Amino acid sequence: EPNYKGNPKVTEGISGKATGVDLSPEINHGARMMMLTTLPYFIIQGPAFFMTGDRAQMSEKEHWWSLAGFVFCFAFFVYYLFSQVKMSNDSAHKLKRMAIIKESLKKGKMSLSGALGDQITYVEKKNEVQKRSLGLLRNSASESQFEPDAEVMELLKDILSEAFRGYDQDDNGTLSKKEFQLFLTDFHENIEADQVDDVFGQFDRDRSGTIDYNEFIRACYIIIKQSNEGSQVVQVMTTPTAPSRRGISREESSRMTMGEVADTILDDDDDESSVEEEEVPEDLTQLSPDEQQKAIKKRAFTMLFIGTALVLIFSDPMVDAMSEVAVRTGIPAFYVAFILAPLASNASEVIASQYYAAKKTRKTITVALTALEGAASMNNTFCLSIFMALIYFRGLAWQYSAETISIVAVQFIMGMWAQRDKMSTYQAYHVLALFPLSILAVAIMEHLGMD
């Protein structure tokens, strides 16, 4: 089980199969996008398999296929940018919504089931519609109706991770029944002691008197579901210190339905204090929000311009340098470029991913892996569109069958692996082996006569 709590992050003596990272929905989405954007390779490579002739003849036959590939590359590039902007907005909205829920729970405005019940119901109904449309809806009545799906688990972990650490008084990564009951009391879940015993006992299978983090999350899910199914009215805290929300009297609040209370909290955009603060450069802190946005955009475009200029200045000398390395070492130029060029062109993603991954938190692992998936998608769209344009406008021939097969195969293997819920350290070694294996595959295919 991935462990993002406590120090050290990895316990000594545990095998690589028992450690690893959670693969979030964002990582799953990035993997699907990476596989989808390989389509232009098929557009140009598919016909190329059935074409024969010298370079000039191949160039003429592939002329319109390269144009089709260019159009698809550009279309995927625009779609990729659009999806990233949409995901960014959705993520920002999610972070704000989560912060508001946490703040409401902290201030005692409502119970755990009141704050999260409607949100969980919405997520489950949305996923049910998606599964039904894909024919994946569960039909077995024997399957547990109280087992949360991955998205609901992620939601509960976002909200309750801090609470788990706070109530884990002895800091051993588990909660005792006493600690669990204290948590429920503080989060205003007034349930009977025997019900707590039933829920706790369901997950304390070894009868050790404790439950771990994932068991705690599942136990909270059961309590929220049972609470919402048992009553459609949320018991809102009406202690003298609990302020009324948005001018709603306590008498009105106590009669509000679960959906109305959740909407009141989730749509409360006026609660500025609950929004997660972002890091702002010191020289921009004194500016107004509008001026900050203008300065940030100006700085971003300036850096993009400088980066593009550096590429234009150093790309030609870099090609000459790699060619010279190939001559002096006696290694074919392709293999030198296949090893050095990706490290040079994607160095920023590698360094950034290493920086984020070193923090070993759920959020930074997601940033690290999605950055690498994004780099692959950009190579499949923007970079490949330039290559397709050169083939079309300059009459070049596409003679890269071995390289194309290797690139597409690696991306599909990685894409399928990234659809899992978790990836172990043991599997990471397999991922690391893909790079040298892809070079070996190209060498074998070229040795067999493939272009």
Side-chain angles (χ1 to χ4, degrees), residues 164-436:
F164 180 85
R165 289 192 291 270
Y167 286 88
D168 181 13
Q169 297 173 354
D170 47 8
D171 199 26
N172 62 351
T174 62
L175 293 186
S176 65
K177 186 186 294 185
K178 180 180 177 181
E179 292 169 338
F180 185 59
Q181 286 177 320
L182 181 60
F183 160 79
L184 293 176
T185 300
D186 289 348
F187 278 70
H188 320 307
E189 288 295 333
N190 299 317
I191 62 177
E192 299 294 333
D194 56 349
Q195 186 180 356
V196 175
D197 293 339
D198 290 341
V199 173
F200 195 89
Q202 181 177 340
F203 294 100
D204 182 20
R205 296 186 178 90
D206 59 358
R207 297 296 180 265
S208 63
T210 60
I211 54 175
D212 64 22
Y213 180 55
N214 285 324
E215 291 169 342
F216 164 75
I217 295 296
R218 290 186 172 92
C220 290
Y221 173 78
I222 288 179
I223 289 172
I224 292 170
K225 291 288 287 185
Q226 290 179 341
S227 176
N228 292 332
E229 290 178 359
S231 174
Q232 291 299 309
V233 177
V234 175
Q235 297 299 322
V236 182
M237 295 304 296
T238 57
T239 60
T241 58
S244 62
R245 298 177 302 279
R246 287 177 157 183
I248 301 173
S249 69
R250 294 190 181 92
E251 290 75 19
E252 292 173 326
S253 296
S254 64
R255 293 194 300 269
M256 292 174 70
T257 65
M258 177 183 66
E260 290 170 338
V261 174
D263 289 341
T264 300
I265 287 184
L266 297 181
D267 294 338
D268 191 354
D269 296 329
D270 300 327
D271 193 353
E272 296 288 348
S273 63
S274 64
V275 181
E276 183 176 293
E277 292 185 3
E278 298 180 358
E279 293 184 9
V280 178
E282 291 184 6
D283 58 323
L284 303 181
T285 55
Q286 302 302 320
L287 301 178
S288 67
D290 290 339
E291 291 173 333
Q292 284 182 357
Q293 286 295 313
K294 290 179 181 178
I296 290 172
K297 290 176 182 178
K298 181 180 178 181
R299 186 171 299 179
F301 280 106
T302 300
M303 295 180 69
L304 285 172
F305 176 79
I306 294 173
T308 303
L310 290 174
V311 169
L312 293 174
I313 293 171
F314 291 105
S315 58
D316 202 39
M318 188 179 74
V319 171
D320 293 338
M322 286 191 289
S323 298
E324 187 63 23
V325 169
V327 171
R328 296 195 179 193
T329 59
I331 301 173
F334 164 76
Y335 297 105
V336 174
F338 203 76
I339 294 173
L340 298 182
L343 295 178
S345 60
N346 294 321
S348 61
E349 286 85 358
V350 173
I351 294 172
S353 298
Q354 174 62 27
Y355 169 78
Y356 284 114
K359 294 179 178 294
K360 298 182 181 179
T361 67
R362 189 185 310 278
K363 185 179 294 185
T364 55
I365 288 296
T366 297
V367 171
L369 294 182
T370 52
L372 295 175
E373 292 170 340
S377 296
M378 286 294 289
N379 287 338
N380 294 343
T381 55
F382 183 68
C383 297
L384 187 59
S385 68
I386 296 174
F387 196 30
M388 293 286 189
L390 288 173
I391 293 174
Y392 176 75
F393 289 108
R394 300 192 63 176
L396 304 178
W398 179 273
Q399 295 180 317
Y400 309 101
S401 298
E403 295 88 340
T404 300
I405 292 173
S406 179
I407 291 171
V408 172
V410 168
Q411 292 192 60
F412 268 86
I413 292 171
M414 277 304 310
M416 296 306 296
W417 277 348
Q419 294 305 303
R420 302 176 180 180
D421 294 332
K422 298 177 179 64
M423 181 173 288
S424 68
T425 305
Y426 179 75
Q427 291 167 332
Y429 293 123
H430 295 169
V431 173
L432 190 63
L434 287 176
F435 184 50

